[in-house]
């Protein structure tokens, strides 16, 4: 007899297994006599391979479910940017932002209820500052008292109209801005504006083109006056445009201000709605050149500096949060002129990441400024900065970011009855324009909420959220069902 192979040889089957094998053998012989194929069977092993396969699949699928739950947990400490989180503001590098600011992780407020209650109070305050016939507008409240002798200036009117034009079309507030431009104050026929500096003129032009040409309530003769006046403003403003860099330099200085580029972007974004006033080919070329310059400016800093050299060789170390948010909103409007070009997407991502990684503080407030050289954030808090950041998050579909910053606005800027909001931490001044802007951010947030509360959606989705735990669970169930089906088919084939 030959030697036993291996160390232990073959393991003898138990009596129960041996009886089963004999029964299967007899059944197999009977099937062959009837002309059927024999039954294929093998001796049982201690741990069959299919059981091992089931265990592996169960472990992998369970890991996916748990991993999906952890990855998609949308807590405020996860900035939804896939960035590394630290406890202090970071300094920029030449390639990318690598760290973020750790923020407070308290639960969000019931924002929808809070806004629903606050909106009528804010609207009531606005209506006390604007006379029913619109002819008298008071711009400021000091310590809760309206100074009726102080009336709104042209520059304040320009800003007021610009914000009102961004409300939902044909809404009460949208109509108010249009009425101010074309009826109450007749901004469309102020030839004296042409003698002002170019910054004043571009602000006036921005107000005139804020509303589409199809919604201008002027008769034929007045409409022609409006168009001629707007064309003259644009011709004057264009004299400060640099044909090589696409930048706007109204005072022909060696250093250019980011604020002026934002104004120019805002006007360019509206030109598509006024084909008679603006030449499409010219404005698209100007917008494209400006995008290239902005790309160069943000290539090393990620964010936009306060000012920069006309030849783009160097820039300021000082950055303002409102510049990042305002340019983000302006670039978003440029898509109506240029379409969804890659440069706009890249720049908006850069600016959004910069303001979130650098300016966002632990209480969800946004700091006013940042000195890159000293790596210092200012301690000043301005309401307008917070509102611009909220609106940026709304456009980015960052629901939680907007929610938490709105909560911060409520705790830091609202008075006890939420009737009015202060503009800074000193609780002294309250401005009409801030409250119009506040109302706009409230309404935009509520519009963002609507899709997430419909019956056919179980969760709010964003542009950068991956599949949730539910989808991983579905995959696990599908894999398990497929495994059972294969096992069943194999058993049927053996019979």
């Amino acid at each position: 007899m030959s030697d036993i192979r291996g160390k232990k040889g073959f393991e003898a089957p138990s009596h129960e297994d041996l009886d089963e094998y004999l029964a299967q053998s007899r059944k197999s012989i009977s099937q062959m006599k009837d002309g059927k194929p024999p039954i294929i069977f093998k001796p049982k092993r201690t741990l069959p391979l299919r059981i091992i396969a089931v265990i592996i699949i169960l472990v992998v699928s369970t890991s996916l479910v748990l991993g999906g739950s952890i990855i998609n947990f949308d807590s405020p400490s996860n900035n939804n940017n896939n960035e590394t989180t630290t406890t202090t503001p970071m300094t920029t590098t030449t390639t990318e932002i690598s760290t973020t600011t750790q923020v407070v992780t308290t639960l969000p407020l019931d924002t929808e209820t809070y806004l629903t209650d606050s909106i009528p109070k804010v609207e009531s305050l606005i209506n006390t500052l604007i006379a029913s016939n619109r002819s008298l507008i008071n711009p400021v409240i000091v310590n809760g008292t309206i100074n009726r002798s102080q009336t709104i200036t042209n520059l304040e009117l320009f800003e007021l109209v610009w914000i009102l034009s961004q409300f939902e079309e044909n809404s009460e507030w949208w109509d108010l801005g249009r009425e101010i431009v074309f009826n109450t104050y007749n901004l469309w026929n102020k030839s004296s504006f042409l003698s002002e500096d170019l910054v004043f003129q571009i602000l006036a032009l921005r107000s005139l083109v804020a509303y589409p040409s199809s919604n201008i309530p002027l008769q034929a003769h007045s409409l022609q006056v409006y168009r001629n006046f707007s064309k003259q403003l644009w011709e004057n403003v264009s004299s400060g445009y640099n044909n090589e860099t696409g930048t706007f330099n109204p005072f022909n200085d060696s250093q250019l201000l980011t604020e002026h580029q934002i104004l120019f972007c805002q006007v360019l974004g509206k030109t598509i709605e006024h084909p008679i006033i603006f030449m499409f080919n010219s404005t698209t070329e100007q917008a494209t050149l400006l995008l290239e310059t902005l790309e160069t400016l943000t290539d090393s800093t990620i964010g936009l500096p306060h000012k920069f050299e006309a030849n783009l060789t160097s820039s300021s170390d000082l950055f303002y949060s409102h510049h990042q948010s305002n340019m983000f909103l302006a670039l978003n409007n440029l898509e109506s002129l240029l379409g969804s070009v890659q440069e706009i997407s890249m720049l908006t991502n850069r600016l959004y990441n910069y303001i979130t990684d650098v300016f966002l503080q632990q209480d969800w407030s946004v700091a006013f400024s940042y000195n890159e050289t000293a790596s210092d954030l200012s301690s000043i808090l301005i309401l307008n900065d917070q509102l611009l950041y909220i609106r940026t998050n709304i456009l980015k579909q960052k629901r939680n970011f907007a929610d938490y910053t709105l909560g911060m606005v409520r705790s830091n800027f609202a008075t006890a009855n939420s009737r009015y909001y202060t503009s800074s931490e000193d609780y002294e001044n309250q401005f009409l324009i801030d409250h119009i802007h506040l109302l706009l951010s409230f309404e935009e947030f509520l519009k963002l909420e609507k899709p997430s509360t419909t019956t056919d959606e179980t969760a709010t989705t964003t542009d950068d959220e991956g599949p949730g735990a539910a989808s991983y669970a579905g995959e696990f169930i599908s894999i398990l069902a497929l495994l059972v089906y294969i096992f069943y088919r194999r058993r049927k084939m053996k019979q």
Side-chain angles (χ1 to χ4, degrees):
M1 181 181 294
S2 61
D3 294 333
I4 297 176
R5 297 178 182 178
K7 294 182 178 180
K8 295 184 179 180
F10 296 104
E11 183 180 355
S14 63
H15 291 292
E16 292 79 7
D17 290 341
L18 187 57
D19 292 339
E20 183 180 350
Y21 298 152
L22 292 174
Q24 288 179 333
S25 298
R26 287 192 290 269
K27 184 176 181 181
S28 180
I29 292 172
S30 299
Q31 284 193 180
M32 287 189 290
K33 289 181 178 179
D34 295 336
K36 298 179 181 179
I39 297 175
I40 300 174
F41 61 92
K42 298 179 181 179
K44 291 185 178 180
R45 299 173 182 174
T46 304
L47 191 62
L49 288 176
R50 59 172 172 267
I51 295 179
I52 297 176
V54 170
I55 293 174
I56 293 174
I57 293 175
L58 285 173
V59 171
V60 172
S61 301
T62 305
S63 300
L64 289 175
V65 172
L66 294 176
S69 301
I70 295 171
I71 291 171
N72 289 279
F73 178 68
D74 196 11
S75 70
S77 61
N78 178 9
N79 283 359
N80 290 351
N81 290 323
N82 295 325
E83 307 282 353
T84 305
T85 304
T86 64
T87 56
T88 57
M90 43 66 63
T91 56
T92 56
T93 65
T94 57
T95 54
E96 61 180 352
I97 304 298
S98 60
T99 56
T100 61
T101 301
Q102 179 71 39
V103 290
V104 178
T105 57
T106 54
L107 292 176
L109 300 166
D110 184 358
T111 307
E112 188 167 358
T113 300
Y114 155 54
L115 296 186
T116 303
D117 293 340
S118 297
I119 282 177
K121 299 174 183 177
V122 175
E123 289 179 328
S124 175
L125 174 66
I126 293 171
N127 287 326
T128 63
L129 293 170
I130 301 177
S132 57
N133 62 2
R134 317 304 189 194
S135 60
L136 181 64
I137 300 178
N138 303 110
V140 65
I141 302 172
V142 181
N143 288 329
T145 302
I146 301 174
N147 185 352
R148 295 295 183 184
S149 63
Q150 185 173 351
T151 57
I152 197 165
T153 65
N154 283 327
L155 288 175
E156 290 169 331
L157 271 178
F158 298 155
E159 188 66 21
L160 178 63
V161 168
W162 176 248
I163 297 174
L164 288 169
S165 70
Q166 296 173 66
F167 280 82
E168 186 173 359
E169 188 171 334
N170 297 320
S171 65
E172 173 189 359
W173 303 108
W174 186 87
D175 283 335
L176 172 61
R178 188 176 59 167
E179 184 179 345
I180 289 174
V181 174
F182 297 104
N183 294 325
T184 310
Y185 289 87
N186 292 329
L187 301 179
W188 56 274
N189 190 22
K190 299 285 187 181
S191 58
S192 60
F193 291 172
L194 296 173
S195 61
E196 300 285 351
D197 61 57
L198 293 186
V199 174
F200 184 100
Q201 291 190 51
I202 197 172
L203 286 167
L205 179 61
R206 188 184 66 170
S207 299
L208 296 184
V209 299
Y211 291 87
S213 57
S214 58
N215 285 301
I216 295 177
L218 296 175
Q219 299 301 319
H221 173 72
S222 297
L223 185 61
Q224 189 59 45
V225 173
Y226 156 77
R227 288 171 177 167
N228 291 338
F229 181 46
S230 299
K231 284 181 180 180
Q232 185 62 56
L233 284 172
W234 177 241
E235 184 177 332
N236 291 355
V237 166
S238 297
S239 66
Y241 175 78
N242 187 312
N243 290 313
E244 295 182 0
T245 62
T247 52
F248 180 51
N249 188 354
F251 305 120
N252 195 28
D253 293 337
S254 60
Q255 285 193 324
L256 283 70
L257 294 179
T258 293
E259 182 179 357
H260 296 157
Q261 316 316 312
I262 293 172
L263 291 175
F264 199 71
C265 269
Q266 289 171 338
V267 171
L268 286 174
K270 290 293 182 180
T271 58
I272 191 67
E273 298 174 348
H274 299 271
I276 297 178
I277 299 175
F278 303 96
M279 295 180 61
F280 176 76
N281 290 339
S282 175
T283 54
T284 52
E285 288 177 3
Q286 291 171 332
T288 301
L289 275 176
L290 182 53
L291 286 178
E292 292 174 357
T293 296
L294 295 176
E295 182 179 353
T296 301
L297 288 173
T298 58
D299 186 51
S300 60
T301 63
I302 308 302
L304 284 172
H306 167 55
K307 56 187 177 180
F308 54 95
E309 299 292 339
N311 59 7
L312 311 183
T313 55
S314 62
S315 60
S316 168
D317 292 322
L318 189 62
F319 295 77
Y320 289 106
S321 62
H322 58 270
H323 285 162
Q324 320 306 317
S325 296
N326 245 332
M327 183 62 84
F328 179 97
L329 298 175
L331 290 172
N332 184 73
N333 290 333
L334 268 187
E335 288 191 354
S336 61
L337 176 67
L338 300 177
S340 299
V341 297
Q342 183 180 358
E343 289 80 4
I344 292 179
S345 177
M346 180 196 64
L347 285 169
T348 52
N349 284 333
R350 281 184 179 180
L351 296 176
Y352 179 81
N353 290 340
Y354 191 74
I355 188 173
T356 297
D357 293 335
V358 174
F359 291 93
L360 184 60
Q361 302 188 98
Q362 291 188 5
D363 63 350
W364 288 98
S365 64
V366 179
F368 177 66
S369 64
Y370 170 66
N371 188 322
E372 186 179 38
T373 302
S375 299
D376 287 338
L377 283 171
S378 67
S379 59
I380 302 173
L381 288 184
I382 304 296
L383 177 60
N384 189 55
D385 294 345
Q386 321 306 319
L387 301 179
L388 287 167
Y389 182 61
I390 289 168
R391 296 184 60 209
T392 298
N393 280 307
I394 290 171
L395 277 177
K396 263 296 213 179
Q397 297 289 305
K398 301 283 189 177
R399 189 266 180 203
N400 267 10
F401 274 35
D403 193 339
Y404 280 83
T405 306
L406 276 169
M408 185 284 308
V409 166
R410 177 185 182 182
S411 61
N412 282 22
F413 295 94
T415 57
N417 60 4
S418 297
R419 184 168 182 262
Y420 62 84
Y421 291 72
T422 60
S423 296
S424 59
E425 289 179 309
D426 59 15
Y427 283 84
E428 181 179 352
N429 297 319
Q430 301 87 44
F431 296 98
L432 168 65
I433 292 174
D434 282 340
H435 285 80
I436 294 287
H437 202 184
L438 183 74
L439 184 61
L440 175 61
S441 65
F442 283 179
E443 293 194 359
E444 287 182 338
F445 183 86
L446 290 179
K447 286 195 293 185
L448 175 67
E449 287 288 82
K450 287 180 182 178
S452 65
T453 56
T454 55
T455 56
D456 59 341
E457 292 187 20
T458 58
T460 303
T461 56
T462 65
D463 61 344
D464 61 346
E465 287 179 348
S471 65
Y472 286 116
E475 293 177 6
F476 163 66
I477 294 173
S478 300
I479 293 172
L480 189 59
L482 180 61
L483 184 65
V484 172
Y485 174 74
I486 293 173
F487 177 72
Y488 172 76
R489 290 288 297 171
R490 287 174 63 85
R491 291 294 299 272
K492 292 289 289 182
M493 290 175 63
K494 293 177 181 179
Q495 295 178 358

